[in-house]
Amino acid sequence: MTERTRDAPEADSPPERPAGPVAELDGVTREYRSGGETIAALADVDFAVDPGEMVAVIGPSGSGKSTLLNVLGLLDVPTAGTVRLDGGDVTDYDDEARTMARRRTIGFVFQSFHLVPMLTAVENVLVPTMFVEGDQRPRARSLLERVGLGDRLDHRPDQLSGGQRQRVAIARALVNEPRLLLADEPTGNLDRDTGRNILEEFERISAEEEVGVVSVTHDELVTEFTDRTVELIDGVIQ
Ligand SMILES: Nc1ncnc2c1ncn2[C@@H]1O[C@H](COP(=O)(O)OP(=O)(O)O)[C@@H](O)[C@H]1O
Ligand SMILES: [Mg+2]
C-alpha cells in the first residue's frame, strides 16, 4: 500500500450526502484497443442509481456489464464522459484519490468472492478496514451475525459452503458502510434458496441503509428483487 498523498480526500472527513444519485455516469464511453481495432465496451452511457434503489444490469456476454460495474466502482476509467459519486465529479481523480473515494463509498461483491484463504471469516471482513481507526472487530462480528454466520466467525473459507462464502463477501462489502454496493453475478454460484436469501439481504440493506445496489446478472431471480432493470447490448443501454 502506498501512503496517502496530500491531495487525496481524508478518510475521516464527514461524508457529504446530497439528495441526488449516489453514483452517476454521464455520456460515458470506454474504449479498448487491441490489435489495431477499437472496441467500445461502453458507448455514450447515461446511468444513475439513487440511494436505496436496486438496479439489475443484464445483457449478453461481452455487452459491457463488467465494464459498467468497474467504471461505477472506480476500478476503471472512462475514455470519455463524466463519473460522479454523491454528486461530486471524480472523473479526473488520480489513483490515490480514486482509491480513497472507493474505500469510503463503495462495497464490491465479486462473483468468485475473492476471500483470503488463510484468514477467518472475521479477518476477511476486516480487510477493508485496515485504514479505519478504532477496533472494527465488533462491527465485523455483528455484520457476520446479521448475514447468519454468527456461528462461523472463526472459520476459514475452505470450511464454508459457497453460500456462506458469499455472505462473508457481503459482510466485507458492507463493513465500511458504503453508499453504493456493486455485485457481479451475486447469485451466480448459489442454489436458489441461498440466492434468494442473499437478494433479501440486499433488499434489506438497500431499504434500511439507503444504499444504492447495482447487480450485474444473468439470473432472472435477481430482476424479481430489483426496482429497475437496465439492458446493455454492445455497450449501449437499450
Ligand atoms: N481489458 C480489456 N482489453 C480489451 N478488451 C476488453 C477488456 N475488457 C473488456 N474488453 C472488451 O469489452 C467488451 C465488454 O466486456 P465486458 O464489460 O467484460 O462485458 P460483459 O461483462 O458484459 O461480458 C468485450 O468486447 C470485451 O472483449
Ligand atoms: Mg462480465
Side-chain angles (χ1 to χ4, degrees), residues 189-225:
N189 295 315
L190 308 176
D191 63 66
R192 292 273 93 175
D193 283 350
T194 310
R196 207 169 265 283
N197 286 344
I198 297 293
L199 290 162
E200 282 163 1
E201 184 62 29
F202 280 11
E203 216 172 29
R204 208 157 63 84
I205 293 156
S206 160
E208 288 175 12
E209 297 182 30
E210 291 277 283
V211 174
V213 180
V214 181
S215 301
V216 162
T217 191
H218 284 101
D219 185 354
E220 284 183 9
L221 182 63
V222 175
T223 58
E224 279 179 33
F225 283 81

Side-chain angles (χ1 to χ4, degrees), residues 30-34 39-42 57-70 76 184-185 216 218 232 234-235:
R30 175 58 165 111
E31 291 175 341
Y32 289 111
R33 239 154 285 235
S34 63
I39 296 165
L42 296 175
V57 179
I58 62 167
S61 179
S63 59
K65 303 184 297 297
S66 293
T67 305
L68 178 75
L69 215 58
N70 291 340
D76 197 357
D184 206 343
E185 297 281 357
V216 162
H218 284 101
L232 270 175
D234 290 339

